[in-house]
Amino acid sequence: MGRLKKKSKLKRRIKLSMLTFILIIGGVVTYSIIQFNQGLSAAKKENSSDSEAVHTDFSGEEVKFGEVKVLLIGSDAREGEQGRSDTLMIGYYNQNTNEVKVVSLMRDIYVDIPGYGMNKLNAAYSFGGPELLRQTIKQNFDTDINYYAIVDFNGFPKIVDLIAPEGLNINVAKKMSKNIGMTLEKGEQTLHGEELLGYVRFRKDSESDFGRVRRQQEVLSKLKDEAISVNSIVKLPKTLGIATGYVDTNISNNILFSIGKGLLTSDQDVETLRLPVDGSFTNQRVNVGAVLDIDFDQNKQALEGFLSR
């Protein structure tokens, strides 16, 4: 009898523990959904642009679990326009290893755009949105993209100020003012959303787009570090909800939460690559203007090696 009572008590304890575990998980999920939706609603109240204009024709292969590649597009479109992709990156995240990599693609690379012929890479977005851009990258660089995320220049400062409310410490190498709507003085200083937008857009110097790409990668890396130090897992759902309100993307919430959680818990640095790589291109002037005529074999090898190492 004593043994039977002990077994009965043990079973009850196990059932109680399982029930408690289920309730905790259910509570966490419910809390996450509520916080995410609150953040999304708050962002939409401030954001007058159409952040829900998801491109349903995007044909990237969905990921269940593993390596995720996201087409990151910074759009210079004004209201009612498609615009060209002012900033173009491939964000890579490995769900198994928490590796984060960013590949910056120079917008003036001279490529063959399916159905349109030779043109600058950033023209693909203007001609056919993120899907044509995906096709162009696949055809010219032999890599396919799973998802896309478009941030316009109204949303970028909001997202930056959300992640880094105290700003980012930046060493501005030179005075910057032309075509960015502000003046950034030379020297180490703290920059906030609007100022950081000007910093990553500036290209009116001898470095042109090459300097701009380097600054974009610098800011992304600092934002990732800031997210780890400032945001916690508890704040993650609302943070993602607010950010999503300023982004046009086809990334599912499950993948979004997985990437967000992985980024916040990973202590790995963001690895970066720029295409074209050094020594693999020449500057040319053709019918569409100044372009980068690149060695595609060399750059395809560099991209494949970077993503697989």
Side-chain angles (χ1 to χ4, degrees), residues 180-196:
I180 62 173
M182 68 187 70
T183 298
L184 299 177
E185 299 294 343
K186 179 181 178 180
E188 190 167 331
Q189 55 202 282
T190 299
L191 301 183
H192 293 84
E194 292 287 350
E195 297 163 323
L196 284 165

Side-chain angles (χ1 to χ4, degrees), residues 7-24:
K7 285 184 179 180
S8 179
K9 286 183 179 179
L10 181 59
K11 286 181 180 180
R12 283 199 299 269
R13 286 177 182 172
I14 292 174
K15 286 181 180 180
L16 183 60
S17 297
M18 290 179 65
L19 179 60
T20 303
F21 178 75
I22 292 171
L23 288 174
I24 291 173

Side-chain angles (χ1 to χ4, degrees), residues 139-166:
Q139 176 170 303
N140 290 271
F141 293 97
D142 288 345
T143 191
D144 205 358
I145 310 295
N146 307 110
Y147 306 100
Y148 72 86
I150 304 169
V151 181
D152 65 29
F153 291 147
N154 293 320
F156 177 83
K158 303 283 188 180
I159 296 172
V160 169
D161 286 337
L162 169 69
I163 297 173
E166 302 301 320

